[in-house]
């Protein structure tokens, strides 16, 4: 986690692509599609506007992943190592703490998603309710049964073990599963349209949806996957060339995630539920079992990546302040914490607010790295300079924090004209401030030389 990946340890292009297909297959893609369609009686948008919103958001994520993936491929550095240059060897603790918390939240959320589908399949033969959200003031959320909790505990242990094994184990899971996952998603989407009466009926129903603006939708699409895009360097550092970076990013943001957005939108229009596994339940036990297994195995790769990357952020942050801990030890500890949180309802209780804040506040985290590498100091990014960076690079720390504050303000207090995305605006603020501070502070440039 503290060394660049040598050329001899790079993975095949299709191995990288398979990881990104599995990484991109996560229920948030369906949830986002469902929210754009107005699931639960909330504001939605007609199909044309929804698909335009998905295309714009996924294109933004695709470009951002490439911009972060190219320096990772060129240097073999993970996100934490890249952050040493733009934030400083101690200042990088700021983005690493943020990313460690984000990936922990995602790991817990995905466990909750898996626990939910297994809870529906198994039913509640014990009749035991562990958490009743109604008691916590959330009556619209279903009670969390003992079966859901036990499912989270079992799969949390399994995911922790494979993440402990490293990138090769993640690749071995992703390669055989990726194409099957895409086929099942596509077939189920077509079947739901047919059940509803055909494509024309779906379009007609979608035209009744309104009230959700393009800017808010764009922030939602970006927020659902911004953590994954920023985590990109941790996978892309194993790529052999730029083509592998491009194909890997496309596998997630041109194929997998947009497909899930569309299936989630159509599923909500046709059945009222974005989660296609719930539709598969009523088709018979065999079909339901296929749905649950596909869901579980596909999310396996996603959660492996979350936990693997978390260990890189936590370990690098601890190392920067003089505390050296093995990556595998961090995986075990964080895996246990995440499994407990997932079992106790983090997904069911907090997920909707979690991804909205992500889209508004944490897009700027990538800004200092992009600005520093492409506009200011590309030649500095070498192994020889990795330990020679100043303790804190204030241009990076200040520009990120300012951008994050702007993202929250734009999202919740001062909406931008024309419904412009709060997250995108916050990233622009960070890029401008980072470059501006670099040229306004002559001492920074002198020290760089």
């Amino acid at each position: 986690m503290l060394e660049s990946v040598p050329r001899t340890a790079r993975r095949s292009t299709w191995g990288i692509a398979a990881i990104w297909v599995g990484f991109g297959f996560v229920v948030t893609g369906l949830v986002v599609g469902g929210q754009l369609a107005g699931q639960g009686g909330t504001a939605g948008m007609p199909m044309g506007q929804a698909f335009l919103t998905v295309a714009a958001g996924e294109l933004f994520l695709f470009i951002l992943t490439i911009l972060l993936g190219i320096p990772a491929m060129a240097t073999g550095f993970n996100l934490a190592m890249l952050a040493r240059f733009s934030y400083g060897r101690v200042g990088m603790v700021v983005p690493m703490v943020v990313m460690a918390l984000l990936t922990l939240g995602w790991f817990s959320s995905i466990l909750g998603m898996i626990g939910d589908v297994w809870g529906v399949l198994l039913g509640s033969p014990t009749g035991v309710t562990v958490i009743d959200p109604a008691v916590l003031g959330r009556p619209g959320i279903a009670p969390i049964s003992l079966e859901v909790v036990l499912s989270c505990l079992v799969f949390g242990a399994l995911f922790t073990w494979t993440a402990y094994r490293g990138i090769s184990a993640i690749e071995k899971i992703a390669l055989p599963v990726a194409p099957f996952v895409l086929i099942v998603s596509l077939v189920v989407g077509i079947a739901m349209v047919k059940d509803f009466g055909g494509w024309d009926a779906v379009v007609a129903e979608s035209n009744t949806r309104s009230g959700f603006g393009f800017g808010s939708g764009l922030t939602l699409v970006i927020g659902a996957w911004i953590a994954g895009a920023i985590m990109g360097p941790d996978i892309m550092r194993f790529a052999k060339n730029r083509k592998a970076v491009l194909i890997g990013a496309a596998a997630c943001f041109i194929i997998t995630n947009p497909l899930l957005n569309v299936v989630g939108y159509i599923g909500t229009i046709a059945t009222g539920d974005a989660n296609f596994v719930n539709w598969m339940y009523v088709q018979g036990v065999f079909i339901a079992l296929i749905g649950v297994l596909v869901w579980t195995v596909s999310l396996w790769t996603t959660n492996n990546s979350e936990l693997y990357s978390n260990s890189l952020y936590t370990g690098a942050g601890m190392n920067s302040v003089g505390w050296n801990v093995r990556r595998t030890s961090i995986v075990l500890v964080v895996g246990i914490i995440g499994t407990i949180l997932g079992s106790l309802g983090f997904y069911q209780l907090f997920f909707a607010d979690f991804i909205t804040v992500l889209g508004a506040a944490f897009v700027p985290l990538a800004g200092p790295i992009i600005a520093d590498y492409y506009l200011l100091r590309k030649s500095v990014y070498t192994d020889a300079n990795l330990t020679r960076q100043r303790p804190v690079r204030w241009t990076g720390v200040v520009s990120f924090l300012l951008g994050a504050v702007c993202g929250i303000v734009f999202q919740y207090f001062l909406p931008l004209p024309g419904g412009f995305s709060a997250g995108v605006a916050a990233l622009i603020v960070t890029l401008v401030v980072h470059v501006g501070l670099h040229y306004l502070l002559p001492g920074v440039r002198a020290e760089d030389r």
Side-chain angles (χ1 to χ4, degrees):
M1 64 183 176
L2 301 175
E3 299 173 348
S4 60
V5 176
R7 288 287 165 183
T8 54
R10 302 299 174 101
R11 318 303 297 183
S12 71
T13 297
W14 296 115
I16 295 293
I19 289 175
W20 276 101
V21 168
F23 190 31
F25 191 97
V26 64
V27 71
T28 48
L30 297 171
V31 171
V32 166
Q35 289 181 302
L36 295 179
Q39 180 168 333
T42 59
M45 56 177 65
M47 184 178 292
Q49 184 182 355
F51 288 2
L52 177 62
T53 302
V54 168
E58 299 295 349
L59 179 62
F60 175 85
L61 292 167
F62 172 67
I63 293 172
L64 184 64
T65 302
I66 291 173
L67 289 176
L68 291 171
I70 287 175
M73 176 276 302
T75 60
F77 293 165
N78 56 33
L79 179 68
M81 297 167 77
L82 291 173
R84 275 180 173 254
F85 293 88
S86 51
Y87 288 89
R89 66 177 187 271
V90 177
M92 53 85 75
V93 170
V94 174
M96 291 306 99
V97 167
V98 171
M99 289 304 296
L101 292 174
L102 294 186
T103 47
L104 174 61
W106 273 113
F107 182 83
S108 303
S109 296
I110 291 169
L111 270 183
M113 299 168 194
I114 292 172
D116 269 0
V117 297
W118 278 96
V120 174
L121 181 68
L122 297 172
S124 184
T126 64
V128 176
T129 296
V130 178
I131 298 174
D132 185 358
V135 176
L136 303 175
R138 308 292 290 274
I141 300 175
I144 301 172
S145 68
L146 178 61
E147 287 73 15
V148 170
V149 171
L150 292 176
S151 297
C152 289
L153 292 174
V154 169
F155 287 109
L158 178 62
F159 300 157
T160 299
W161 179 76
T162 47
Y164 177 90
R165 302 294 299 171
I167 195 74
S168 61
I170 299 173
E171 184 184 77
K172 288 174 183 175
I173 295 166
L175 276 168
V177 170
F180 185 62
V181 164
L182 294 176
I183 292 170
V184 169
S185 303
L186 190 59
V187 169
V188 170
I190 294 171
M192 287 191 295
V193 171
K194 184 178 178 181
D195 272 4
F196 192 67
W199 185 253
D200 290 342
V202 172
V203 173
E205 176 62 26
S206 77
N207 288 332
T208 66
R209 309 301 166 100
S210 62
F212 201 172
F214 175 79
S216 297
L218 190 61
T219 296
L220 178 67
V221 174
I222 293 172
W225 252 96
I226 187 60
I230 296 175
M231 287 165 59
D234 302 327
I235 300 173
M236 294 304 192
R237 67 179 182 145
F238 289 93
K240 292 180 178 179
N241 48 44
R242 292 191 176 198
K243 181 181 77 173
V245 172
L246 182 66
I247 291 174
C252 183
F253 298 113
I254 303 299
I255 300 175
T256 310
N257 218 36
L259 174 62
L260 291 178
N261 293 156
V262 170
V263 171
Y265 183 91
I266 292 172
T268 299
I269 297 294
T271 70
D273 194 336
N275 186 343
F276 66 75
V277 177
N278 290 333
W279 176 86
M280 296 176 79
Y281 286 135
V282 300
Q283 309 305 312
V285 175
F286 180 70
I287 298 296
L289 184 59
I290 290 177
V292 171
L293 290 176
V294 167
W295 192 260
T296 302
V297 178
S298 61
L299 290 177
W300 189 348
T301 306
T302 308
N303 240 13
N304 273 340
S305 300
E306 300 290 348
L307 194 51
Y308 173 79
S309 290
N310 181 287
S311 68
L312 302 182
Y313 309 142
T314 304
M318 295 169 73
N319 175 264
S320 69
V321 294
W323 192 4
N324 295 316
V325 182
R326 290 171 58 88
R327 183 194 69 82
T328 49
S329 300
I330 296 170
V331 166
L332 292 176
V333 172
V334 175
I336 291 171
I337 295 172
T339 299
I340 293 172
L341 288 175
S343 302
L344 296 180
F346 181 89
Y347 165 65
Q348 293 86 347
L349 297 171
F350 305 113
F351 183 68
D353 294 331
F354 180 61
I355 63 171
T356 300
V357 173
L358 280 182
F362 298 117
V363 180
L365 192 146
I369 296 174
I370 292 172
D372 208 46
Y373 184 82
Y374 290 99
L375 302 177
L376 303 175
R377 308 189 309 142
K378 181 177 180 179
S379 61
V380 174
Y381 284 67
T382 65
D383 271 318
N385 290 327
L386 186 61
T387 58
R388 299 173 60 193
Q389 301 306 302
R390 68 171 66 108
V392 179
R393 202 170 164 76
W394 291 109
T395 52
V397 174
V398 171
S399 61
F400 163 57
L401 294 177
L402 181 61
V405 170
C406 286
I408 293 293
V409 170
F410 296 153
Q411 179 67 29
Y412 293 102
F413 304 105
L414 294 174
L416 296 169
F420 194 79
S421 169
V424 175
L427 177 62
I428 294 172
V429 168
T430 296
L431 291 170
V432 171
V433 171
H434 187 88
V435 174
L437 288 176
H438 178 84
Y439 286 109
L440 288 173
L441 301 175
V444 171
R445 300 196 303 280
E447 187 172 336
D448 286 342
R449 289 193 294 272

